[in-house]
Amino acid sequence: GRLGNTLDANDRSKTWTTTAQHETCWGQPVTKPELIKMMKEAGFNAIRVPVTWYQEMDADGKVNDAWMNRVKEVVDYVIDNGMYCILNVHHDTGADSDTFKSWLKASTSNYNTNKTKYEGLWKQIAEKFKDYDQHLLFEAYNEMLDENSTWNEPKNKTDGYKAINDYAKSFVTTVRNSGGNNASRNLIVNTYSASSTPNAMQNLDKPENSNHIIFQIHSYPNWQTKSNAKNEIDNLISNIKAKLIDRAPVIIGEYATFTTWPSDLDYYYENKDVALYAMDYLIKKTKENGIGTCY
């Protein structure tokens, strides 16, 4: 499962005096232990906890203590329920708009500018959590796009893919150097924009030669019919098998019923048969092939 629109929420136009103001700025309530307990009881065994950091860092890149402690509190809710927790750097990446601009982008110039700050952020996270056991996993970045906010594949493929791999390498090296259990923690690196295209999969390097790296992609298909859903899922699985899973384990870190959102039409309600069929088939096929999923 994924904890959504709480610690990953952000609003460039605001400054916070409390972590609760930040955490609730997208309309969700403050995360309580009861929510995580409910997820556990519903049968989930892992929770991805996305976190956006840029509004909680000073000019030198130091994370506010209150925010770091709040992140730890939520991670502890997950761990204390005996579940796995994935902690990441979330809307520090993403598509720019009139109201949002991400600071981490898949370009060499951006990497050169932000390498030190990015490594400094992971150094702080790694230090805070280095005594945690293998129930905690780190994820390098969420959906990192190029300067043009291009989805699926970078506009300049050579530059974009190189930058993704440079950021992934920086992340792994920084975490490993922090010692403690981080020396062998399972670390997750995402494809460019967390894309599930064959090219994006193929161009993601494995940043170290160890058994403690996991690849992640996201999948928001546009299913119309059961046969269309089956074809899309078969295609996705076959690409994962061809491009990724022989090199490292794979997690589909986000997936949903339909891409058509936002909309006046509730596609889940309108096409419930297709949605339920597709979900069932996706989970069946991912389980058969040893692929992890986060709904």
Side-chain angles (χ1 to χ4, degrees), residues 87-274:
L87 178 63
N88 82 349
V89 168
H90 204 75
H91 289 303
D92 301 273
T93 66
D96 292 348
S97 69
D98 293 343
T99 55
F100 174 77
K101 188 168 167 44
S102 56
W103 64 280
L104 295 169
K105 297 183 187 302
S107 76
T108 301
S109 63
N110 180 278
Y111 175 74
N112 291 339
T113 302
N114 291 299
K115 176 182 190 285
T116 305
K117 185 179 173 187
Y118 177 72
E119 290 176 351
L121 172 57
W122 270 113
K123 194 173 178 181
Q124 293 170 78
I125 301 167
E127 182 60 36
K128 186 76 172 178
F129 292 99
K130 70 180 183 187
D131 296 331
Y132 281 61
D133 72 11
Q134 295 305 325
H135 282 85
L136 179 62
L137 299 86
F138 293 154
E139 174 194 321
Y141 43 77
N142 178 43
E143 296 173 342
M144 197 189 297
L145 306 170
D146 62 14
E147 312 281 355
N148 303 289
S149 295
T150 318
W151 288 100
N152 293 321
E153 294 190 48
K155 201 167 176 183
N156 178 334
K157 291 186 174 50
T158 309
D159 185 68
Y161 287 135
K162 180 183 185 303
I164 276 286
N165 290 318
D166 285 342
Y167 270 117
K169 188 86 178 153
S170 270
F171 159 70
V172 170
T173 305
T174 302
V175 173
R176 292 291 180 240
N177 288 344
S178 65
N181 290 334
N182 291 333
S184 61
R185 188 173 307 290
N186 289 316
L187 303 181
I188 301 168
V189 293
N190 297 0
T191 54
Y192 174 87
S193 82
S195 167
S196 55
T197 65
N199 262 354
M201 293 188 201
Q202 188 167 331
N203 282 286
L204 178 63
D205 295 339
K206 189 177 176 186
E208 73 176 6
N209 185 21
S210 80
N211 294 327
H212 295 290
I213 297 292
I214 298 170
F215 293 134
Q216 180 176 229
I217 56 167
H218 296 166
S219 179
Y220 287 97
N222 199 7
W223 298 316
Q224 306 297 335
T225 63
K226 289 183 185 179
S227 66
N228 163 241
K230 181 182 186 299
N231 287 341
E232 289 232 358
I233 292 162
D234 286 343
N235 196 32
L236 176 68
I237 300 291
S238 99
N239 285 330
I240 290 172
K241 286 167 76 172
K243 308 293 183 190
L244 291 179
I245 211 159
D246 58 335
R247 297 188 286 141
V250 174
I251 294 172
I252 300 175
E254 296 179 18
Y255 72 95
T257 42
F258 293 100
T259 41
T260 322
W261 175 91
S263 162
D264 296 336
L265 186 63
D266 182 342
Y267 279 81
Y268 175 74
Y269 183 76
E270 294 291 323
N271 293 309
K272 193 178 268 189
D273 284 354
V274 178

Side-chain angles (χ1 to χ4, degrees), residues 36-53:
I36 306 300
K37 184 169 182 282
M38 182 187 82
M39 299 292 281
K40 169 76 172 178
E41 287 168 355
F44 289 88
N45 71 342
I47 303 282
R48 182 169 176 250
V49 177
V51 180
T52 302
W53 302 87

